[in-house]
Amino acid sequence: MTYNNSCSCYGDDAPIAAIATIAGNSALTLIRCSGKGSLEAVSSVFTANLKTAPDMQKKNTLKNAPGNTVIHGWIAKSGGHGKNAEIIDEVLVSVFRSPKSYTGEDSLDICCHGGSCVGTAVMAALKTAGFRGALAGEFTFRAFMNGKIDLTKSESVMELVCAKTEEGRRHAVSRLCGSLQTEINEIKNMLVSVLAGAEVFLDYCEDEVSTDADEIAGKLPNRGIALAALDRLKKLSLSWQMERVYKEGITCVIAGLPNAGKSSLFNMLLKEDRSIVTEVPGTTRDWIEAWVSIEGIPVRLVDTAGLREPSDSIEKIGIQRSRKLLQEADIVLYLADGGQGLTKEDIEELETYNEERKRYLLLWNKCDIARPPNPAAKHPAPQLPLKDISPICVSAKTGEGLAELCSAISSVISKTTGLMNEPACAAVGTVRQKKLVDAACSALEEALMLTEQDAPLDIIAPLLRDSVNSLGEITGEVSAADILEEMFSKFCVGK
């Protein structure tokens, strides 16, 4: 791995400390410490006994503690121990010795009482003892630099912190456990074997190499392995479509005429009263949004103003905003009032978006009092618009049909991401990983294309090397200082 340790921000091994829990009233606050001399520095503000004057054995209780142990004691202001100490808080200190720690350095986790004042006071004592405040992501950066984790696992740490749903958490943990790292390394090893075979041809005369006649004629050695690697790379690239949904979520807009039950459905999906519901048309004048998990997918659910000719300038603005959201939405839930049936206005609204029907779901609300028209009836009601859209019967009052609605939303997402019934496998979790997988895929595709044209191997081999290097960048075997600093600076402080 190439990295310049003279980096002024992230490259040193000085003792660092940071509060790793959210500030505010809480039962506990956790302060993480790591770096060269961190055990000695914490020992200078730690005392194990308040009642007696310290002898050397008690003074060195923490400094001599073995790794993976927890020591009870007190954090004091620098300069005093025992009876002479000005105590800040009672604490438990977990000791982790190099190399068996998260960062690979001597590390400590100080568990003190909650509240912003306690944590701030302990941090002030640590800075007096020689610690500096940790930079964003610096603990994970050091773990990477010390070979404890690769870049895919490093990025999965922040994915885990930011996971919006249980399914997103599960995918992030899979990468933290090494699923992506293993897949990348296996593909890279396949390409290395192909590259090695090609370079043998370049380094030795053809008559010195025992091989098949087709390969001697200029065909790429181990071409079958290269094709298998390309197939796996393409699957990894496609996996980003669904992973992006789990990370960023999708926008689902509830639309329809006034009093169709949009706000009631919004509240029902959220399981709380967020939108005001009345019988007065036009109650919702502006849109309101909230995040909800639907079958493990984070959904930004938006309740909008009823679509109609506005009665005043304020309602006009709300309806304009609603129409803009409809254009930007990933999925639109168009709600029809089952009590009134499909009106001329409903049909006009639905036909306006005729070309975007794949992301529209037609909901027949109030199905507890009225069912949708039956096309097979002897005297059927007016036909539903958009023949390839079947209405989903729901009741925002009773909750009937909500399970079917959630399933339909999940199905639309699967269709638009192109991963319907895709078997569980390793997946890329960041844009950086996606770009590098695509770069590796592109270089390998070009190399294979050139082999079909019987191009010389001295042109093909560099493309194979580019593909291998791109995969190395994903795991961090090949990394530039500025790229690493940019990536870790987006982490939380304390991570």
Side-chain angles (χ1 to χ4, degrees):
M1 177 179 60
T2 59
Y3 182 76
N4 181 5
N5 277 324
S6 65
C7 174
S8 60
C9 293
Y10 286 83
D12 63 19
D13 59 357
I16 56 174
I19 297 176
T21 47
I22 297 175
N25 294 333
S26 61
L28 299 170
T29 293
L30 184 71
I31 298 176
R32 175 174 283 183
C33 308
S34 186
K36 187 176 181 180
S38 57
L39 277 165
E40 291 77 6
V42 174
S43 295
S44 70
V45 292
F46 177 86
T47 183
N49 197 322
L50 293 177
K51 297 181 179 179
T52 60
D55 55 26
M56 286 304 296
Q57 182 179 359
K58 288 175 180 174
K59 194 172 183 179
N60 293 327
T61 298
L62 182 61
K63 187 164 58 176
N64 295 330
N68 300 323
T69 57
V70 180
I71 308 297
H72 170 265
W74 306 78
I75 294 291
K77 289 190 176 181
S78 182
H81 284 278
K83 293 180 178 180
N84 299 321
E86 183 180 344
I87 299 300
I88 295 174
D89 191 27
E90 183 180 17
V91 299
L92 291 174
V93 181
S94 301
V95 179
F96 307 97
R97 290 190 174 271
S98 172
K100 296 182 179 181
S101 69
Y102 177 70
T103 61
E105 306 170 320
D106 285 345
S107 304
L108 307 96
D109 284 348
I110 302 173
C111 185
C112 56
H113 288 92
S116 57
C117 290
V118 176
T120 300
V122 173
M123 277 296 297
L126 292 174
K127 288 181 179 179
T128 302
F131 285 91
R132 67 168 173 82
L135 301 169
E138 191 167 6
F139 292 98
T140 304
F141 173 85
R142 292 187 176 195
F144 165 70
M145 292 301 296
N146 292 325
K148 303 296 291 186
I149 54 179
D150 78 323
L151 279 189
T152 64
K153 291 184 179 180
S154 299
E155 289 172 304
S156 69
V157 171
M158 202 59 202
E159 288 181 57
L160 194 57
V161 171
C162 298
K164 292 182 173 69
T165 66
E166 175 64 17
E167 190 69 15
R169 177 206 62 78
R170 188 176 66 82
H171 285 224
V173 165
S174 174
R175 281 184 283 277
L176 184 60
C177 292
S179 63
L180 179 59
Q181 179 191 25
T182 299
E183 179 69 4
I184 292 297
N185 285 338
E186 287 181 1
I187 297 172
K188 187 184 66 177
N189 289 339
M190 293 169 70
L191 293 180
V192 166
S193 69
V194 177
L195 178 60
E199 290 183 338
V200 165
F201 276 84
L202 294 174
D203 292 339
Y204 298 95
C205 296
E206 292 176 353
D207 57 359
E208 297 180 44
V209 181
S210 177
T211 184
D212 295 335
D214 285 344
E215 292 179 346
I216 293 176
K219 298 289 185 180
L220 179 67
N222 299 321
R223 184 173 182 273
I225 296 176
L227 287 170
L230 179 61
D231 183 62
R232 291 172 72 167
L233 283 173
K234 287 181 176 180
K235 287 182 178 179
L236 272 182
S237 181
L238 283 174
S239 71
W240 169 244
Q241 296 180 67
M242 183 57 82
E243 291 302 313
R244 181 186 60 80
V245 169
Y246 286 122
K247 286 171 65 69
E248 301 173 5
I250 61 109
T251 298
C252 184
V253 174
I254 303 174
L257 303 183
N259 270 17
K262 298 183 297 299
S263 295
S264 296
L265 179 65
F266 180 83
N267 291 338
M268 180 70 73
L269 287 169
L270 256 60
K271 298 181 175 62
E272 62 177 275
D273 291 333
R274 284 290 302 277
S275 282
I276 299 174
V277 178
T278 73
E279 295 180 358
V280 179
T283 298
T284 303
R285 307 298 289 267
D286 199 357
W287 56 271
I288 182 172
E289 67 173 70
W291 283 95
V292 62
S293 174
I294 295 181
E295 297 197 359
I297 299 168
V299 174
R300 175 191 170 219
L301 193 64
V302 185
D303 180 21
T304 60
L307 303 175
R308 67 172 183 177
E309 285 297 321
S311 59
D312 55 56
S313 59
I314 297 176
E315 186 179 14
K316 180 179 180 180
I317 295 172
I319 293 173
Q320 287 174 343
R321 290 181 176 180
S322 295
R323 293 197 182 281
K324 183 178 179 183
L325 282 167
L326 289 176
Q327 295 173 356
E328 298 171 352
D330 297 296
I331 297 177
V332 174
L333 306 181
Y334 188 89
L335 210 59
D337 185 346
Q340 296 184 11
L342 276 173
T343 65
K344 177 183 177 182
E345 290 78 9
D346 284 316
I347 295 174
E348 288 176 350
E349 287 292 340
L350 287 166
E351 289 178 342
T352 300
Y353 303 98
N354 188 49
E355 295 180 357
E356 302 178 45
R357 64 185 66 184
K358 65 181 180 180
R359 63 186 183 91
Y360 266 68
L361 291 176
L362 174 59
L363 310 186
W364 188 272
N365 193 25
K366 305 179 184 179
C367 66
D368 52 317
I369 61 173
R371 308 301 292 185
N374 181 10
K378 187 175 181 180
H379 300 289
Q383 293 296 306
L384 294 171
L386 310 184
K387 294 181 180 179
D388 54 347
I389 295 183
S390 299
I392 300 170
C393 295
V394 297
S395 172
K397 181 179 180 180
T398 67
E400 181 181 348
L402 289 189
E404 290 79 1
L405 172 58
C406 292
S407 178
I409 292 173
S410 177
S411 177
V412 170
I413 295 170
S414 296
K415 288 177 182 177
T416 54
T417 55
L419 288 179
M420 291 189 67
N421 302 317
E422 186 72 14
C425 62
V428 296
T430 66
V431 174
R432 183 192 74 89
Q433 294 166 6
K434 170 68 163 61
K435 289 181 177 178
L436 289 170
V437 166
D438 286 345
C441 193
S442 177
L444 182 55
E445 280 185 317
E446 187 176 353
L448 287 168
M449 180 187 69
L450 289 173
T451 64
E452 295 295 325
Q453 301 171 1
D454 289 333
L457 286 178
D458 57 355
I459 295 178
I460 296 171
L463 290 169
L464 296 173
R465 198 171 293 111
D466 288 344
S467 188
V468 170
N469 287 341
S470 292
L471 296 180
E473 283 190 55
I474 295 175
T475 57
E477 292 179 72
V478 181
S479 301
D482 54 345
I483 295 175
L484 291 179
E485 186 169 340
E486 168 68 17
M487 188 182 80
F488 284 99
S489 66
K490 296 177 181 177
F491 278 46
C492 299
V493 173
K495 278 295 182 185

